[in-house]
Amino acid sequence: MAMSAAGQTKTPPTRAELVGHFLVIWDIEQARSVYKLGFYGKPLGIPKPKGAEFDAPLILDLIEGLYLVERGLITVYEGPSAREVSPEELRGIGRRIHTDFDLKYAVYKDLRDSGLVVTTGIKFGCDFAVYRRGPGLEHAPFLVSVRKPSDSITAPEIVRAGRLATTVRKRFVIALVDEKTGDVKYLMFKWFRA
């Protein structure tokens, strides 16, 4: 354990292994601790965990892993030599695997920094499902699709997304990321009957 400037012991960051394009926290106690920080990751083999009392490794995607690395909460290593993987390397892997990784990460970071819980929105056909309190405590009230301000979106795409969001009782949000400044703006659609 390291000592902080105030002389208190400081717990070292949790270790996560880079496996393919996911991060795995193998130690069960550490996996539970990271999950408890804000519903980060998915316990292996448990699609809908009921709290953090699971007995499984925790799988993190690259976006949430990078966020945790940047906050000093986890360190990432790979291979038999346990070589440490830098945030820049994680970002590079993310860019190779995900379209617009930097834009999605900017939105993820902005939402997390605002105190919201962010999970993948793939089952809803969007980038993120966003919660105020967390999965298992509520249904995600928002579905977020990440776009560049220069992107075009057709009326049928908006209607399709709005109908899906309304069907699952969620609000459809488009997050626009300025590629030069990294600023994020949100457009929320509210549907009503005429």
Side-chain angles (χ1 to χ4, degrees):
M1 291 205 181
M3 296 293 275
S4 69
Q8 299 172 329
T9 58
K10 183 180 172 189
T11 305
T14 295
R15 289 172 53 92
E17 182 181 5
L18 177 63
V19 179
H21 57 272
F22 291 99
L23 308 178
V24 181
I25 299 173
W26 296 104
D27 181 276
I28 304 303
E29 288 304 316
Q30 290 183 343
R32 289 176 182 162
S33 294
V34 169
Y35 186 80
K36 285 179 190 176
L37 292 173
F39 301 94
Y40 291 99
K42 298 272 187 227
L44 183 63
I46 305 171
K48 291 186 178 184
K50 305 290 186 227
E53 297 310 311
F54 50 82
D55 292 316
L58 189 69
I59 309 297
L60 301 164
D61 68 29
L62 289 170
I63 288 177
E64 60 193 348
L66 178 58
Y67 184 79
L68 292 168
V69 166
E70 287 184 346
R71 266 130 206 84
L73 298 169
I74 68 171
T75 56
V76 178
Y77 67 93
E78 78 172 329
S81 65
R83 181 187 71 81
E84 189 167 337
V85 179
S86 71
E88 294 77 25
E89 288 178 277
L90 283 179
R91 195 178 294 276
I93 295 166
R95 288 173 180 150
R96 286 191 301 274
I97 294 169
H98 300 288
T99 303
D100 294 328
F101 179 83
D102 292 320
L103 300 178
K104 291 173 185 172
Y105 181 73
V107 172
Y108 181 90
K109 180 181 180 305
D110 187 63
L111 292 167
R112 278 290 187 172
D113 287 352
S114 298
L116 298 167
V117 175
V118 185
T119 63
T120 181
I122 197 147
K123 72 179 179 180
F124 299 111
C126 63
D127 294 304
F128 303 117
V130 180
Y131 302 79
R132 290 185 183 102
R133 297 179 315 176
L137 302 175
E138 66 177 332
H139 291 287
F142 308 105
L143 299 178
V144 178
S145 180
V146 178
R147 300 290 182 118
K148 293 178 258 189
S150 61
D151 287 347
S152 62
I153 185 167
T154 65
E157 288 175 298
I158 292 173
V159 170
R160 190 176 317 115
R163 287 181 61 94
L164 172 63
T166 301
T167 300
V168 293
R169 296 188 171 110
K170 299 175 187 333
R171 296 258 175 97
F172 174 58
V173 178
I174 295 177
L176 297 170
V177 183
D178 185 305
E179 293 179 88
K180 291 179 184 161
T181 66
D183 291 340
V184 182
K185 293 186 177 159
Y186 300 93
L187 301 172
M188 183 166 34
F189 293 81
K190 186 172 182 179
W191 307 96
F192 61 93
R193 293 176 193 249

